[in-house]
Amino acid sequence: MGHLVRITTDCLLGTRMHLKDKIIIITGGCQGLGRSMAEYLAAKGAKLALVDLNQEKLDQAVAACKALGVEARSYLCNVANEEQVTQMVAQVAEDFGAIHGLINNAGILRDGLLLRVKDGEMTKMSLAQWQAVIDVNLTGVFLCTREVAAKMIELKNQGAIINISSISRAGNVGQTNYSAAKAGVAAATVTWAKELARYGIRVAGIAPGFIETEMTLGMKPEALEKMTSGIPLKRMGKPEEIAHSAAYILENDYYSGRILELDGGLRI
Ligand SMILES: NC(=O)c1ccc[n+]([C@@H]2O[C@H](COP(=O)([O-])OP(=O)(O)OC[C@H]3O[C@@H](n4cnc5c(N)ncnc54)[C@H](O)[C@@H]3O)[C@@H](O)[C@H]2O)c1
């Protein structure tokens, strides 16, 4: 009878990764979308490994997860540094004994036009401005995915990797570096979903539109207002709405190789 009930429930719900006690790494986990996803997943019983650059903020985020009744730990690590990423992943595996998920969320902005001519003077986007964003937003995603997937295979853990892309991956004025990195992340997501499926690892992305975080609230008020008025839903997204999508991807065992767009209907 119990067997029959299970078959019926599985047919209705499909197979599903349950988040309770799953170990999930979130990069850029101390604020904004990363912290919101951490708390959302903690509320579902997941154990969190939060990775970021600021110990004080990491401590606050870890405390917020622990207050929800789960194990959480912080890891100071620059995702663009190969040695630090390798060490961090080894440490997470040692501390928790398993890894079931990774959310590649750490990211930076260094906006500017490729070329700007003002009063007869030309300024150029510097190579440093280009490289800083590529290093964190693209190379960081590559390094974390490579190391986490390797560890998951080694430990025979199955699960999912989520890459945070952006609506800007379509190409956005003032964001040569950011758009290129986010488009790269989207393409790599499809590639890795194909390559890692045989190990039981799904890879998917989320492309947020404009979401209320420190990153966007740093924009000039007039730019913010102009941008919001162009969104069909007439408001920015909330971090919890992105977290909800991350949980959906982690839980849905048939979601892989696709980028979930969450932008209120905006097209840039
Ligand atoms: N907020 C939005 O509207 C929006 C829209 C589309 C995509 N995104 C993407 O979502 C992600 C999170 O954005 P957010 O708005 O929460 O930004 P945020 O600036 O609030 O948070 C980003 C976090 O990443 C961390 N970080 C930066 N560089 C790092 C590095 N080298 N190593 C480790 N950690 C690092 C920062 O310290 C910070 O805690 C980013 O990838 C961003 O590009 C955000």
Side-chain angles (χ1 to χ4, degrees):
M1 183 66 187
H3 182 61
L4 255 183
V5 170
R6 204 177 64 242
I7 291 176
T8 319
T9 332
D10 281 353
C11 286
L12 287 173
L13 297 175
T15 48
R16 201 146 82 93
M17 170 159 149
H18 292 280
L19 284 166
K20 178 138 181 51
D21 293 330
K22 290 293 188 299
I23 292 120
I24 315 285
I25 300 175
I26 304 180
T27 70
C30 80
Q31 68 172 45
L33 300 186
R35 173 154 174 184
S36 176
M37 290 189 280
E39 291 185 45
Y40 195 97
L41 299 178
K44 283 179 163 271
K47 298 179 181 179
L48 281 314
L50 304 184
V51 176
D52 212 306
L53 300 169
N54 181 317
Q55 190 61 59
E56 210 182 310
K57 285 187 178 180
L58 270 174
D59 289 344
Q60 291 165 7
V62 162
C65 292
K66 283 186 172 165
L68 291 162
V70 299
E71 191 181 339
R73 290 168 190 267
S74 68
Y75 300 85
L76 264 186
C77 164
N78 174 0
V79 296
N81 182 305
E82 185 173 27
E83 207 181 311
Q84 288 183 26
V85 170
T86 308
Q87 259 177 28
M88 174 275 288
V89 174
Q91 193 61 50
V92 172
E94 198 182 312
D95 292 344
F96 288 91
I99 302 176
H100 305 104
L102 162 70
I103 304 183
N104 279 309
N105 163 79
I108 58 169
L109 290 172
R110 295 286 184 275
D111 289 359
L113 296 171
L114 178 69
L115 298 169
R116 186 187 169 132
V117 183
K118 201 175 170 199
D119 303 327
E121 283 236 0
M122 184 184 288
T123 48
K124 301 176 181 177
M125 175 180 277
S126 68
L127 179 58
Q129 203 177 346
W130 161 265
Q131 199 62 51
V133 173
I134 297 296
D135 284 350
V136 177
N137 297 13
L138 185 57
T139 307
V141 173
F142 159 72
L143 290 173
C144 291
T145 300
R146 190 189 68 184
E147 291 311 309
V148 168
K151 191 57 80 179
M152 287 171 77
I153 293 168
E154 189 186 315
L155 298 174
K156 298 195 167 39
N157 292 151
Q158 305 203 332
I161 294 173
I162 299 178
N163 299 322
I164 306 298
S165 179
S166 166
I167 191 170
S168 295
R169 77 193 194 284
N172 195 25
V173 171
Q175 295 197 313
T176 298
N177 45 7
Y178 188 82
S179 296
K182 294 298 187 182
V185 161
T189 299
V190 178
T191 305
W192 297 331
K194 290 174 178 170
E195 292 184 4
L196 299 175
R198 74 192 66 175
Y199 306 107
I201 301 171
R202 294 180 290 111
V203 187
I206 301 176
F210 290 91
I211 315 297
E212 288 169 6
T213 67
E214 283 85 342
M215 190 180 254
T216 42
L217 296 177
M219 289 167 72
K220 287 184 192 139
E222 50 283 13
L224 254 179
E225 205 182 303
K226 190 171 165 217
M227 180 271 296
T228 309
S229 68
I231 302 172
L233 291 182
K234 299 293 175 211
R235 67 168 177 88
M236 293 171 83
K238 296 186 189 309
E240 308 78 67
E241 289 167 330
I242 300 293
H244 181 212
S245 297
Y248 162 74
I249 292 174
L250 289 171
E251 287 179 340
N252 191 325
D253 280 339
Y254 201 54
Y255 197 90
S256 198
R258 295 291 174 268
I259 312 294
L260 192 156
E261 297 174 291
L262 205 74
D263 48 29
L266 179 67
R267 278 275 173 276
I268 58 171

